[in-house]
């Protein structure tokens, strides 16, 4: 991973602060001054002001994101962020994004390799959403959601869509485009009024209340690592 991300994940400074340290020549990688584009692997030795940067224990947390909290590490508008709901150490970042008004399952980790893998469309992590719609969807609308709808950035991949109640549907998608579920539902004539992610890969929210988090078990992390390509 990039040197600034490495320093941020190690809890030394924020990513921007890391850029300043690097530019000031205070960061050495294997004895040589690090550059902004230096890549750091598990076996590299990183020092700041001559002190070795301790490798952080990997953390994988599942958060039940409540509404009104933004999915970012820091918000310029000063809104509450998801990272404020989990322990500060080790520093973790969200994998992917839920809109501020969306609730549900959000993974946070400092495991850069896994985060990168999960965020890559090739791995097709299944995400299940419950969407309350403005109006009762027709069978045709559900079929269109499942077959794929045309959005500005192209057609959506096949999905699973089923009715849970008169205005409530469950949508299972593998992509992670910005505002994807809201855009898909709006495109078939049924804007979303409430959105909840009930599952991320094999992880559901059982045992968690909004705002609560838990650590993933070793077996859960291994399952995420072994998701098929
Ligand atoms: N799709 C959306 O529109 N919003 C989310 O928060 C997640 C998926």
């Amino acid at each position: 991973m990039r040197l600034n991300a490495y320093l941020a994940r190690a809890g030394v400074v924020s990513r921007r602060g890391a850029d300043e340290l690097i530019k000031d020549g205070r960061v050495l990688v294997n004895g040589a001054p690090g550059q902004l584009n230096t890549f750091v692997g598990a076996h590299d030795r990183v020092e700041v002001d001559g002190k070795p940067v301790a490798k952080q224990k990997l953390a994988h947390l599942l958060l039940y994101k409540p509404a009104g909290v933004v999915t970012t590490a820091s918000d310029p508008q000063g809104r509450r962020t998801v990272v404020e709901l989990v322990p500060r150490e080790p520093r973790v970042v969200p994998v992917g994004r839920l809109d501020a008004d969306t609730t549900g399952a959000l993974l946070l980790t400092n495991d850069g390799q896994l985060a990168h893998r999960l965020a890559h469309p090739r791995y097709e992590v299944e995400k299940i959403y419950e969407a309350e719609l403005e109006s009762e969807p027709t069978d045709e609308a559900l079929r269109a959601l499942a077959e794929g709808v045309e959005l500005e950035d192209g057609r959506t991949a096949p999905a699973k869509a089923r009715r849970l109640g008169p205005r409530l549907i469950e949508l299972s998608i593998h992509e992670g485009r910005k505002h994807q579920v809201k855009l898909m539902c709006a495109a078939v004539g049924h804007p979303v009024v409430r959105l909840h992610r009930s599952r991320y890969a094999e992880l559901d929210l059982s045992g968690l209340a909004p705002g609560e988090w838990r650590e993933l078990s070793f077996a859960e992390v291994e399952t995420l690592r072994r998701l098929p390509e």
Side-chain angles (χ1 to χ4, degrees), residues 1-187:
M1 85 181 72
R2 267 181 205 280
L3 184 53
N4 61 359
Y6 182 91
L7 293 172
R9 295 236 166 96
V12 177
V13 274
S14 67
R15 216 180 258 219
R16 220 167 292 148
D19 286 346
E20 293 306 313
L21 288 180
I22 297 166
K23 279 192 222 147
D24 291 346
R26 292 166 60 189
V27 185
L28 299 185
V29 179
N30 304 324
Q35 308 297 325
L36 288 177
N37 60 358
T38 300
F39 260 76
V40 185
H43 301 295
D44 290 314
R45 192 166 35 85
V46 179
E47 292 162 75
V48 174
D49 292 336
K51 291 197 200 92
V53 174
K55 292 206 171 69
Q56 284 258 326
K57 184 175 158 278
L58 289 183
H60 307 85
L61 311 181
L62 178 68
L63 171 70
Y64 186 156
K65 179 193 170 298
V69 176
V70 289
T71 308
T72 171
S74 77
D75 182 50
Q77 294 170 41
R79 291 172 296 180
R80 214 150 66 106
T81 72
V82 290
V83 295
E84 291 169 29
L85 298 176
V86 297
R88 288 171 72 91
E89 296 293 332
R91 183 196 283 258
V92 289
V93 292
V95 178
R97 169 181 297 266
L98 291 177
D99 296 335
D101 58 354
T102 301
T103 58
L106 183 68
L107 183 66
L108 295 106
T109 185
N110 59 355
D111 185 340
Q113 217 175 353
L114 181 65
H116 181 73
R117 197 169 183 272
L118 294 175
H120 199 290
R122 190 174 71 211
Y123 290 97
E124 302 211 330
V125 176
E126 184 180 41
K127 296 143 206 142
I128 301 189
Y129 292 91
E130 288 172 14
E132 188 183 324
L133 307 177
E134 227 172 65
S135 51
E136 192 166 336
T138 56
D139 288 345
E140 196 188 337
L142 285 180
R143 208 166 27 247
L145 289 172
E147 285 171 2
V149 297
E150 208 56 59
L151 299 181
E152 262 180 20
D153 56 354
R155 198 178 175 78
T156 59
K160 285 184 215 140
R162 67 182 181 113
R163 212 182 283 279
L164 297 179
R167 288 189 297 113
L168 190 65
I169 64 163
E170 184 180 80
L171 194 60
S172 161
I173 62 173
H174 291 274
E175 300 168 291
R177 304 195 215 167
K178 206 167 177 194
H179 308 310
Q180 181 162 346
V181 174
K182 291 177 186 168
L183 292 173
M184 287 174 74
C185 294

